[in-house]
Amino acid sequence: MLFEVWAPNARDRVTLELNGTGHPLERDAERDGWWTGVVPAGDGDRYGFAVDDGPVLPDPCSRRLPDGPDGRSAVVDQSAYAWRNASPKLRLRGAVLYELHVGTFTPEGTLDAAAERLGELAGLGVTHVELMPLCPFPGTWGWGYDGVAPWAVHEPYGGPEALKRFVDTAHGLGTGVVLDVVHNHLGPSGNHLPAFGPYFTDTHHTPWGSAVNLDAAGSDEVRAYFLGSALAWLRDYRIDGLRLDAVHALADTRALTFLEELSAAVDELAREQGRQHFLIAESDLGDPRTTTPRALGGVGLHAQWNDDFHHALHTALTGEAQGYYADFARAPMAALAKTLTHVFFHDGTYSGFRGRHHGRPVDRERTPAHRFLGYAQTHDQIGNRALGDRLSASASPGLLACAAALVLTGPSVPMLFMGEEWGARTPWQYFTDHTDPELAEAVRRGRRREFAEHGWDEDEVPDPQDRATRDRSVLDRTEREEDPHKRLLAWHRELIALRRTLPDLTDPDLGGVKVAYDEEDRWLVFRRGDLRVAVNLGKEPAVIPLGSNGRDRVLASWEPVDPPAADGVLRVPGESAVVLADG
């Protein structure tokens, strides 16, 4: 078996330790900084590398870390798994995504346990499951954004074979799988990459310290390392798409950016395999060039999360006005209308939260709606609250139904956060399992200090290191058996079925979306083709002028509602939503 490692930091030697025996590696004559050797090995054999007689460290390209990030790597035979199901050819247009955290989706917190529940999501109408990060991190429980081995699967989740079983099961149900990957930083604990080479640079500084080296000396190999890991998920595990965490935090000044390289490589792999691979960015830039095709001068990612829509919707539903919600709270219905039609609320406008102008406009005539994801809740927007409280903690079932209608019938690709479909009451809190006591205490103090500055009593803020914080965040599926959860689940299923069967709801034409609203009475109605969707966020019934011919048909409604009268006026009960079709 060929063992190789990029270790330009090595002065004299690199040693492979395989099953307790040392094997010196040779310098690669054609690749600067690479060391190689051929040694007999098989699936499961443990190994690591020592640089200049230093400690034995795991392979930077470890495919499996059975004992965690500080233990030895294990050889993985990628050809050993016998795939049963072909990948479904699913496009983003028409997709319904479902964000899922493996560690709290089930009490067991494993990929195999999650796979047993995939039939429920397929029955709901979900087309793609978006898994939060799976890369190894110290400890058992965590969000996954502190991963330190970008090629491996967290062992407590089941390791690489379990991920293949999960993807295979999903594909057998006709469901795609999206994986959240992190390229902008690695975790503070268990990160051994600096011992091998210049994976990080002090040229740039980030909230996590030194930046991942995408543009300084040695960055060619670092870019190839992260690009290779991304392609491995798509190729070896048959993942259908990747969600790229916080691409705005990638410090990259090169003319050809890492994201453009990644986009081109993923498109080429899709062509080779005849599959529908895609990249979804999380970006705070408000820049449509992120998803503009490379041929038109853009970065070429295929879609991006739209937090502006979330912020407008959240503010309209809850009235919250602190932090970044302040910009949206001045006129929440107007903000919601703008994000439904123009995507970004900040499209060159002044942001009081940032103290400057922000964003640029989306070309609605040339940009398809499925370049953007719309959602009412995500792991970020729930878990980064002090108590990890969901919308269900502050919004009535009727308002949750309105949120579902806006997300699932709106122009963007809809995404749900696990449990949202039944209005789950379980919180989703920030939890960690750091094995370094000093780091654990620093995170605990930092979390409490952060929210104390916003008026919270420190004792109210859950301890991230307490196992109970993770356990509180596990979904309680027994809720689905009783109202209002049972009714909300049926409402989500009904709306998703409409999206699947009515072409107007997957029409990519952003310019064709027409919106009217009343800020004071808190109602909004938008039109897509022959369909109208009306929501009344106020407590009192609303009289909404549709200007129609009175022959509209009610396709779905949260509360009983009569079709519009001959005068074209629709009367919508308080905190309710209606979907109508032209007669």
Side-chain angles (χ1 to χ4, degrees):
M1 176 178 172
L2 175 65
F3 288 89
E4 58 181 0
V5 63
W6 182 58
N9 285 0
R11 297 184 304 274
D12 301 314
R13 66 182 64 85
V14 174
T15 304
L16 164 70
E17 185 199 78
L18 176 65
N19 295 331
T21 301
H23 303 270
L25 299 183
E26 299 291 333
R27 291 185 188 271
D28 190 313
E30 298 181 356
R31 296 182 298 167
D32 188 40
W34 282 86
W35 299 73
T36 66
V38 177
V39 182
D43 188 71
D45 286 350
R46 305 295 181 87
Y47 72 99
F49 299 110
V51 176
D52 291 327
D53 298 325
V56 178
L57 301 175
D59 185 353
C61 295
S62 296
R63 296 304 187 95
R64 185 181 174 206
L65 289 166
D67 303 312
D70 294 319
R72 300 292 191 269
S73 303
V75 174
V76 174
D77 180 0
Q78 294 291 355
S79 65
Y81 184 81
W83 292 92
R84 304 185 310 276
N85 301 299
S87 303
K89 293 187 177 181
L90 300 169
R91 299 185 300 168
L92 273 174
R93 179 179 174 179
V96 176
L97 275 68
Y98 187 95
E99 190 185 19
L100 183 159
H101 177 261
V102 170
T104 51
F105 187 61
T106 65
E108 298 87 347
T110 65
L111 283 156
D112 285 333
E116 294 177 1
R117 297 288 183 175
L118 286 173
E120 299 171 1
L121 301 183
L124 179 64
V126 167
T127 64
H128 295 79
V129 174
E130 181 176 305
L131 297 173
M132 288 176 61
L134 298 179
C135 294
F137 53 86
T140 301
W141 308 114
W143 282 19
Y145 294 95
D146 287 336
V148 294
W151 295 66
V153 180
H154 193 48
E155 198 70 16
Y157 290 165
E161 288 289 297
L163 177 57
K164 291 179 179 179
R165 291 192 294 268
F166 180 94
V167 174
D168 208 0
T169 301
H171 287 173
L173 294 166
T175 304
V177 180
V178 180
L179 178 63
D180 195 337
V181 296
V182 183
H183 295 143
N184 54 70
H185 73 287
L186 278 77
S189 179
N191 177 14
H192 301 291
L193 293 182
F196 290 92
Y199 283 90
F200 299 87
T201 174
D202 288 330
T203 304
H204 311 284
H205 290 275
T206 75
W208 306 282
S210 297
V212 171
N213 181 14
L214 298 178
D215 59 3
S219 60
D220 286 354
E221 291 290 356
V222 177
R223 288 159 75 110
Y225 172 80
F226 285 103
L227 191 150
S229 72
L231 296 180
W233 296 118
L234 303 174
R235 182 186 59 247
D236 299 337
Y237 294 93
R238 301 192 181 184
I239 298 289
D240 300 282
L242 301 176
R243 184 260 190 187
L244 309 178
D245 182 63
V247 299
H248 54 269
L250 294 173
D252 184 2
T253 61
R254 288 171 61 161
L256 178 63
T257 66
F258 168 75
L259 289 177
E260 291 173 82
E261 277 195 89
L262 178 59
S263 170
V266 167
D267 286 349
E268 179 59 29
L269 181 65
R271 283 190 291 269
E272 291 174 1
Q273 297 186 329
R275 295 177 58 196
Q276 300 289 327
H277 295 315
F278 52 82
L279 299 170
I280 302 173
E282 179 197 20
S283 175
D284 188 41
L285 300 177
D287 189 351
R289 290 175 296 187
T290 301
T291 59
T292 298
R294 297 185 307 280
L296 298 177
V299 174
L301 304 185
H302 306 94
Q304 70 176 86
W305 282 23
N306 183 12
D307 272 354
D308 279 11
F309 173 76
H310 167 273
H311 298 345
L313 177 55
H314 186 91
T315 302
L317 292 170
T318 67
E320 291 186 24
Q322 74 279 13
Y324 46 66
Y325 291 132
D327 288 337
F328 301 83
R330 295 182 180 89
M333 303 305 290
L336 186 54
K338 184 174 181 180
T339 58
L340 283 167
T341 54
H342 291 74
V343 182
F344 296 143
F345 177 72
H346 289 301
D347 53 5
T349 58
Y350 184 80
S351 166
F353 172 69
R354 295 175 176 85
R356 59 173 175 80
H357 286 75
H358 184 70
R360 64 188 300 157
V362 170
D363 184 344
R364 297 196 300 153
E365 303 306 317
R366 301 174 64 187
T367 306
H370 52 262
R371 292 270 188 245
F372 306 97
L373 269 62
Y375 38 85
Q377 301 182 74
T378 70
H379 77 274
D380 265 332
Q381 303 301 338
I382 300 171
N384 284 323
R385 297 170 69 85
L387 302 181
D389 49 310
R390 298 169 178 260
L391 268 178
S392 57
S394 56
S396 69
L399 288 179
L400 297 179
C402 290
L406 290 165
V407 169
L408 292 169
T409 66
S412 298
V413 174
M415 184 178 72
L416 304 173
F417 182 68
M418 61 178 196
E420 179 181 348
E421 69 272 28
W422 72 77
R425 295 279 182 170
T426 48
W428 201 76
Q429 298 178 333
Y430 181 70
F431 49 88
T432 57
D433 188 26
H434 294 304
T435 54
D436 180 341
E438 291 186 7
L439 176 60
E441 183 59 26
V443 169
R444 181 184 294 114
R445 289 198 309 268
R447 183 82 175 172
R448 289 176 173 171
R449 186 186 313 114
E450 174 188 357
F451 288 105
E453 293 173 356
H454 295 283
W456 290 89
D457 187 322
E458 289 192 13
D459 292 335
E460 295 181 279
V461 180
D463 179 357
Q465 284 286 119
D466 187 344
R467 170 65 183 266
T469 305
R470 175 266 171 186
D471 292 347
R472 281 192 296 271
S473 301
V474 175
L475 289 175
D476 177 7
R477 287 183 171 79
T478 64
E479 292 180 325
R480 302 176 302 176
E481 301 167 8
E482 299 180 355
D483 284 333
H485 306 289
K486 183 177 181 180
R487 187 180 171 203
L488 277 167
L489 181 58
W491 175 245
H492 280 79
R493 186 176 289 113
E494 183 177 14
L495 292 174
I496 293 173
L498 289 178
R499 190 173 189 92
R500 186 171 58 245
T501 56
L502 299 175
D504 284 338
L505 292 182
T506 53
D507 187 341
D509 182 16
L510 279 168
V513 182
K514 309 298 180 184
V515 179
Y517 62 92
D518 187 299
E519 196 73 60
E520 183 176 350
D521 289 342
R522 290 174 47 76
W523 60 258
L524 178 146
V525 59
F526 65 90
R527 184 177 187 119
R528 303 189 66 197
D530 293 332
L531 301 175
R532 287 185 179 88
V533 179
V535 296
N536 176 12
L537 305 185
K539 292 184 178 297
E540 301 301 321
V543 177
I544 303 177
L546 297 181
S548 64
N549 56 20
R551 294 197 296 271
D552 300 78
R553 294 177 292 115
V554 175
L555 300 181
S557 63
W558 175 250
E559 297 288 357
V561 65
D562 294 327
D567 59 3
V569 171
L570 178 69
R571 291 167 173 79
V572 182
E575 300 184 346
S576 187
V578 186
V579 181
L580 306 110
D582 287 353

